[in-house]
Amino acid sequence: MKKNAIIYIDDTHAQVTKAFEKQARIFGTPEYREWRAYRQDFPNAQMVPKTIKKAKNKKNDAKNRTYEKMAEYISLQKNAAELMKEFEAQKKLAVVQKSRYRAVLNWFLATFPELKEDEDKKEGQEDKATAAEEAAPASEIAADQNDETEMDKAS
C-alpha cells in the first residue's frame, strides 16, 4: 500500500494507513485535500486504518541480549580473551551490514548454541510444569488416601 493511497472498501469505508489518517486531519496537507476529494464522491465514507497482524508464536531471540550482556557472558568463558577479541572484531565488521546488531547477535548465537537450546528447553519445561501442576491435585488426593489408610492400620 502506498503511503498516500486510499483503498476503496465500500461506499461507507475506506482503508488508509495510520500516517495518512493522522495527516488527513491537518488542514491544508496533501492528505487532507485527497481525503476531501474522496469525500465528495463518497460523502458518508469513514477512514479505516490498516492494521498489521503480528505473529503470536514468533520467538524473540534477541530478548535481553545487549552488547554488554553478551560481553559479560563471554568474559565468563574459559577462552574469554580470544572470544572477546572476536566479539569486538564482529562488531567492527558489522558496520557494513544492514542491521549491525543482528549480525553480531547471529555470530553470538552461532558461537554459543547452548544459549539457543536453553531457550527451547525453558519453553518445554514451562509446558511440562503446567502439566505437572494439573496432575498435582490427583497425586495429592492419592497421598491423602494413603495417609488415611496408614492411620486406619495404626489404630
Side-chain angles (χ1 to χ4, degrees), residues 111-125:
T111 306
F112 303 105
E114 66 273 7
L115 295 177
K116 193 163 183 71
E117 292 173 6
D118 288 345
E119 288 178 356
D120 295 340
K121 288 178 185 176
K122 286 179 186 176
E123 289 176 4
Q125 289 175 354

Side-chain angles (χ1 to χ4, degrees), residues 68-109:
E68 293 80 24
K69 289 187 179 184
M70 287 185 222
E72 184 179 342
Y73 184 80
I74 290 170
S75 68
L76 298 174
Q77 303 303 312
K78 291 179 182 176
N79 55 348
E82 295 172 23
L83 289 171
M84 193 57 83
K85 286 180 185 176
E86 180 66 22
F87 178 62
E88 293 300 326
Q90 288 295 325
K91 284 179 17 181
K92 289 178 183 176
L93 289 172
V95 171
V96 297
Q97 298 290 331
K98 184 176 181 181
S99 173
R100 290 191 255 175
Y101 172 75
R102 181 54 67 177
V104 174
L105 179 65
N106 288 340
W107 169 83
F108 184 76
L109 291 176

Side-chain angles (χ1 to χ4, degrees), residues 121-140:
K121 288 178 185 176
K122 286 179 186 176
E123 289 176 4
Q125 289 175 354
E126 289 173 2
D127 295 339
K128 290 178 185 176
T130 306
E133 290 170 1
E134 291 173 0
S139 62
E140 290 175 1

